[in-house]
Structure formats: C-alpha cells, structure tokens
Amino acid sequence: MAAEPIVCPTDEVDSATPMTKVLSLYKFVPVADTILLQSQLRELGAKHGVLGRLLVAPEGLNGTISSDSTETTGVDTFLEELAQDERFSSGVQFHRAEIPSSTRTFNRFSVQLRKEIVTLKQPDLCDPNQVKGVYVSSPAEWNALLLDPECVVLDTRNDYEVELGTFRNAINPNTEAFTEFPEFVQKTLDPSKHRKVAMFCTGGIRCEKASSYMLKSGFEKVYHLKGGIEGYLDNVDEQESLWDGECFVFDYRVAVGHGNKLGSYTRCFVCRGILSKEDCLLPSFVKGYTCKHCVDMPEERRSGKLDRQRQFERQGMDQFRVFVPKSEAERIRAEKLQRKEEAREREKAKPKKKAAAAVQQQSDHEDYVRQS
C-alpha cells in the first residue's frame, strides 16, 4: 500500500474561501448543579448549531466549539446567551480563530461531566477560584520575563506538545500528563531559591491551576501568560516573537503558527500520533493504516481502529495533510478519477456479462438435454 498525499488547504485562502469559527473557552467558577448546567449547555449548543466538546465540573467550564462563519447563529450567539447565566455574566476566557471550512474541527457537539475541567488531582493545593498567579497580558511583558535571568519560565504542557514548539529559554518538565506537574515542582524547584516563576500553556487554563498550586506550595511570585500561546501568537509581531515552532491544539487543526494560521502537522487516526511533513514521507506511513508511531501495532488492535479512519472519511473529515508539489497532487487526483471511471465502466458492463452468462448457461443446458 502506498500513501495517498493531498494538498494542505491552508496555503491558499482568499476572501471567497468558506471559513469556520473556532472558539476555545473556559472559566473557573463554582458550579453546584453540574447536571443541570450540562443539560442547559446541550440545549444551547443545539439551538445555536455549534459543534465541539465542553467539560463541566464543580470548578467550572472548559472546551472548544465551532460553527460556520456564514451562519447567523453559532459560537458568537452561543457566547452571548451563555453570558445571561449569572455565573458567566462577567465573561469567560476565550480565544477565537477562523480556519478554512475544508479543515473541519469537530463532527458533533457534546457536553461531558468531569471531576475537574483540567485534571491535576490536587484538590487541597489548587483552587483557582480562591488564588492564582498574576496575568501577563502583553507580548512585550511576556518577552521581558522570558529574557529575565532571575525568572524561571515553565512550559506546563505535555512532552508531545512541547516537541512541536515552545518559547525561548523555557524549561520543559518532560511530563506525559498534567498530573505529573506537581511532582516536577517538588523535585526540581525550591520556593526559597526560585522566587520568580512564570508559566504558559496552550490557552491559559492549565496555568490557572498550576499557578494556584505553586502559590499554595509557598512560591512567592508566580506569573502566567493570559490567553496562553494562542493569544500570544495572535498579538505578537512575528519579528519580535520569542516563540519557536508551532503550537499543538486539541482539535483537528492539530497545530497553529503565528497569526494562528493552520500549521504543518497532521495526525494518525489509528494511533493519534502527531506527524510532520517528513514523517508522512517515511516508508512506515500508509494513510489510514500505519505511521512511525504505530507501525509495530498488532493487527488485531489495528483492525478496530481502522473503522475510525473510515468514519472520518465518510464525514468529510479526512485530516491527513501530506504536503506534496501541486503537480504531483494533480497527477494523483487524475489517477484517482481514472480509477473511478474504470470502476463505473465495469459496473455498466456487469448486466451485459450476466446476460451473456445466462444465455451461455441456457445453451449448455439445451446441449446437455439433446445429448441425453
């Protein structure tokens, strides 16, 4: 089997290109009636025609939603009606982006109940509704912290996210899950020595919890990037940026760059591994079947996961963006069209073949009767 490259839709976007609005949002606020809020949000999502995934917990709300930018209802009207709830009337933290509609973000809308909207498992040492770090709002202020030799800057994301990109001078805790962050702090940092700490994550939510944890653990000055990496990439002049690489995001965009433009990474729908352009050119990559992360996966495990790739393709959500020259892509498309045409011709010929076979069968039968 050979990989089937397709051109990434992100490089050529004009005013006529249909766009999708994507809204990442969260708010830490006490929620006593989580089941009721879940039901209300489901109704709100259906009413405004949004897709996405929201998490509800006693500590607040977190998630990402999307809608067609041409619709009169969608993420904006959803947000407006959400603000009518007293708990969210002062607003929520959110980041907005627009991407080509050919790159779908979600295929349905769901609202799920959780113990935490972002899991840290430190209930006694972490409550952003009580205490959290100081927001750093402007790229200039954040750059100053990155260049401050007395400031320890922490990337609170997981190692697979950090691989795609991070800030200059930032420390990678090398965690596989956010729940490992407290252990990293306990083993690596000392409140008496590290008096000034700054941290960042994708959209800001993990830092709300991480900064709360560090303040309650005795650290004196704790800062965190408001709006996260996505907010920084939206507002910083690329010439002044101290960000290197791309930023992993938790939807089918996979990664974004400066200006939150769609990035160059894709994902394997079999194992969910992140793939670069170069990874998609390796012999181990076969679209919808294997990649460098799962090439050794047992066949019995793979067969079940293949159904997921087929489902996404049926829904128009094939997100394998393998970058190839346009001439090569055009050749591949032409071959694909030719195969489809040949298949149609074969289908047309089937009735004739069946009729010919029936005539032959009748003739053979008559010969047999005469000879007997």
Side-chain angles (χ1 to χ4, degrees):
M1 297 176 69
E4 183 181 345
I6 27 184
V7 172
C8 175
T10 60
D11 295 330
E12 298 179 4
V13 177
D14 55 37
S15 57
T17 301
M19 302 296 283
T20 293
K21 291 182 181 179
V22 181
L23 190 75
S24 303
L25 61 96
Y26 74 87
K27 183 166 187 177
F28 284 97
V29 60
V31 178
D33 48 355
T34 55
I35 295 177
L36 176 60
L37 180 57
Q38 179 190 41
S39 176
Q40 292 169 338
L41 290 170
R42 282 174 173 168
E43 291 178 7
L44 203 59
K47 177 180 177 181
H48 296 281
V50 300
L51 301 175
R53 179 170 175 258
L54 295 176
L55 303 179
V56 174
E59 65 182 7
L61 172 67
N62 174 33
T64 303
I65 56 176
S66 67
S67 66
D68 191 324
S69 62
T70 61
E71 297 293 331
T72 54
T73 59
V75 297
D76 295 319
T77 52
F78 178 97
L79 207 57
E80 288 172 7
E81 190 163 344
L82 179 65
Q84 295 175 19
D85 186 313
E86 185 179 353
R87 291 165 294 191
F88 306 103
S89 59
S90 60
V92 298
Q93 296 288 346
F94 68 87
H95 176 266
R96 187 193 312 273
E98 286 201 6
I99 62 171
S101 296
S102 57
T103 305
R104 288 185 62 183
T105 50
F106 298 97
N107 68 327
R108 64 190 182 97
F109 179 67
S110 67
V111 184
Q112 301 172 15
L113 298 180
R114 292 287 189 270
K115 292 181 179 178
E116 302 176 75
I117 56 174
V118 58
T119 305
L120 191 60
K121 297 182 179 179
Q122 297 289 330
D124 298 328
L125 284 173
C126 176
D127 186 356
N129 286 314
Q130 292 183 359
V131 62
K132 58 188 175 186
V134 177
Y135 282 132
V136 180
S137 300
S138 76
E141 290 177 301
W142 181 250
N143 286 353
L145 287 173
L146 288 170
L147 299 175
D148 185 347
E150 295 184 359
C151 184
V152 177
V153 181
L154 303 177
D155 191 333
T156 65
R157 302 171 303 152
N158 301 322
D159 51 8
Y160 67 89
E161 300 172 74
V162 180
E163 283 183 11
L164 273 63
T166 190
F167 281 108
R168 221 164 295 168
N169 301 330
I171 294 173
N172 176 11
N174 292 301
T175 55
E176 293 184 0
F178 187 46
T179 51
E180 298 174 7
F181 181 76
E183 183 181 357
F184 163 80
V185 172
Q186 292 166 14
K187 290 183 177 180
T188 311
L189 303 177
D190 184 343
S192 64
K193 295 179 181 179
H194 306 104
R195 298 182 180 275
K196 192 175 184 181
V197 179
M199 58 186 63
F200 63 93
C201 59
T202 307
I205 185 170
R206 279 177 280 189
C207 290
E208 301 260 358
K209 285 202 129 176
S211 66
S212 178
Y213 170 80
M214 295 193 73
L215 286 167
K216 287 196 172 187
S217 298
F219 289 87
E220 186 178 344
K221 296 179 180 179
V222 181
Y223 304 86
H224 56 120
L225 182 59
K226 187 173 183 179
I229 302 163
E230 288 186 289
Y232 179 92
L233 294 177
D234 250 352
N235 296 302
V236 71
D237 186 322
E238 192 168 349
Q239 301 301 316
E240 299 175 359
S241 175
L242 296 181
W243 173 262
D244 295 320
E246 296 180 16
C247 174
F248 176 83
V249 291
F250 294 90
D251 56 52
Y252 293 106
R253 292 176 295 167
V254 184
V256 296
H258 284 91
N260 274 280
K261 294 178 181 178
L262 200 59
S264 60
Y265 287 85
T266 186
R267 295 194 83 164
C268 173
F269 275 119
V270 174
C271 71
R272 309 296 291 157
I274 302 170
L275 303 171
S276 67
K277 302 176 187 179
E278 293 75 20
D279 294 334
C280 294
L281 298 176
L282 295 174
S284 58
F285 176 74
V286 178
K287 178 187 168 186
Y289 192 72
T290 64
C291 74
K292 69 174 187 178
H293 303 293
C294 63
V295 64
D296 296 322
M297 181 185 289
E299 195 63 34
E300 58 270 20
R301 284 185 59 200
R302 183 185 310 283
S303 59
K305 294 178 180 292
L306 285 174
D307 291 337
R308 177 166 56 185
Q309 167 67 12
R310 297 188 186 102
Q311 179 184 2
F312 282 123
E313 289 182 345
R314 285 196 298 270
Q315 295 167 344
M317 296 179 64
D318 184 1
Q319 298 299 304
F320 281 101
R321 300 189 299 275
V322 186
F323 289 65
V324 295
K326 286 186 178 180
S327 58
E328 177 67 7
E330 288 168 359
R331 181 188 65 77
I332 292 168
R333 288 195 184 101
E335 289 179 355
K336 193 171 183 180
L337 288 172
Q338 184 178 351
R339 289 196 297 271
K340 285 184 176 179
E341 185 61 32
E342 290 172 352
R344 280 195 292 266
E345 291 298 326
R346 286 195 295 272
E347 287 297 318
K348 288 179 183 178
K350 279 183 180 179
K352 294 179 180 179
K353 288 183 178 180
K354 285 183 179 179
V359 170
Q360 183 62 47
Q361 187 176 15
Q362 179 64 28
S363 175
D364 292 343
H365 178 70
E366 291 173 354
D367 289 343
Y368 173 77
V369 171
R370 284 196 297 270
Q371 290 174 7
S372 58

